[in-house]
Amino acid sequence: MSSLPFDVAAASVQGREHARAGRNNQDAWCVRASEHGLVAVVADGCGSQPCSELGAQLGVRRVAQAALVRLAEDGRVDEAGFLPGLREDVLCLLSELRRELGRDTLGDFLFTVVGAVLTPSHTLVFSAGDGVWCLNGEVRVLGPFANNAPPYLAYALSSGAQTPLVAQALVPTQDVRVLMLGTDGVSDLAKLAQTRLPASDEQVGELSRFWTEDRYFTNPDALRRRLAMLNREHVRADFEARRLERAPGLLADDTTMVVLRRRMGRA
C-alpha cells in the first residue's frame, strides 16, 4: 500500500430521480494504492443509457489500475505522455470488451471521469467530462457542456473523436492538504448549504464539512450515511386531513465523492 500520508473517505448515493424511475446508481468510484502512489477516480454514467453504470464501474477500476501500472513502470505524472497513455489504456479495454460482448455496447461505456494520481513528488488532477474537484478548499466545477453532452472518452471508439483526459492541476504533493473529487451531483449538493433536511431544523452545511470533520475519516461508513440521510424521503401522516405528506430527499442526481485529507502532523 501507499506510504503517502493521506486518509480517505469515499461514498456514493443513488439520486432521488433515478430511484423514482427505477434506475440504478450510475456513478462509481475507486481508490487504489501501491508502493508507487495512490489513485482516486470517480465516474458518472450517461443518464440516458440504461446500463451506463457498467461502463462507470469498469472505467474507474481500469483508470486506477492502469495508472498504478504506469507508475510501477517509472511513469511520471509530470510528463506530457502520462495522460495520453492512460487514455489509450482505458480505450483498449473498452474496445476489447465490445468485441467480446458481441453487441452494441457503446452506450454502456459512456461515462465521465474525474481522477487524481498522487506520488511522493507530484499530484495530478485530471478529467474527461463534467464533475467537481477541490484542492485545499478551492472548489472547481467542470461543465456543464452544451446540450448536456460531455465529451465522453468512449466516443473515440465509434467516431474516432479525440476526447482527451484533461489535466486540471499538477502540484507538488507536499502542498496538498485536502483533495476532493466528485461527480456532478456534488455540484448540486454544494448549492444546498443553507437548505434544511426534510422534517429537520438541521442545515445541509458547506461542502468543507466533508474534509474538516474527523468523523468522515474515523468511521468508514460516515460519509455514505450522511449522503443517504440527505436523500432520505420523510413521510408524515396528517390525520386531520387523512393524507400522507411527503418531503423528498434533497439529491436529485446520483452523488459520489472521494475525499483525501493529509494526516495531522505528516509532511
Side-chain angles (χ1 to χ4, degrees), residues 169-200:
L170 178 64
V171 298
T173 299
Q174 65 181 7
D175 294 341
V176 178
R177 301 188 307 277
V178 170
L179 180 61
M180 184 274 289
L181 311 173
T183 57
D184 59 350
V186 175
S187 63
D188 296 333
L189 173 58
K191 300 172 185 176
L192 299 174
Q194 306 302 318
T195 303
R196 298 187 185 280
L197 273 65
S200 172

Side-chain angles (χ1 to χ4, degrees), residues 4-11 30-32 37-42 77 114-119 122-127 132-140 142 167-183 186 207-212 216-217 223 256-263:
L4 294 174
F6 290 92
D7 293 320
V8 180
C30 183
V31 178
R32 289 190 178 176
L38 186 155
V39 185
V41 189
V42 300
V77 298
V114 184
V117 182
L118 292 80
T119 71
H122 289 89
T123 291
L124 172 67
V125 181
F126 59 91
S127 67
V132 182
W133 63 280
C134 170
L135 179 62
N136 297 339
E138 186 173 349
V139 178
R140 305 288 183 88
L142 305 170
Q168 298 294 338
L170 178 64
V171 298
T173 299
Q174 65 181 7
D175 294 341
V176 178
R177 301 188 307 277
V178 170
L179 180 61
M180 184 274 289
L181 311 173
T183 57
V186 175
L207 276 184
S208 58
R209 70 182 306 168
F210 294 112
W211 54 83
T212 58
Y216 296 113
F217 302 95
L223 180 54
T256 302
M257 184 187 307
V258 174
V259 185
L260 294 88
R261 186 178 74 169
R262 183 175 293 276
R263 297 189 192 111

Side-chain angles (χ1 to χ4, degrees), residues 21-83:
R23 288 154 54 191
N24 293 329
N25 183 345
Q26 294 176 319
D27 282 2
W29 64 269
C30 183
V31 178
R32 289 190 178 176
S34 73
E35 59 185 303
H36 305 288
L38 186 155
V39 185
V41 189
V42 300
D44 180 3
C46 177
S48 63
Q49 301 298 322
C51 299
S52 63
E53 64 269 20
L54 170 66
Q57 291 287 350
L58 290 170
V60 292
R61 286 159 175 77
R62 181 56 175 171
V63 170
Q65 184 60 33
L68 289 180
V69 169
R70 287 188 169 273
L71 293 181
E73 296 174 347
D74 296 325
R76 293 178 45 170
V77 298
D78 56 333
E79 292 179 337
F82 188 88
L83 284 180

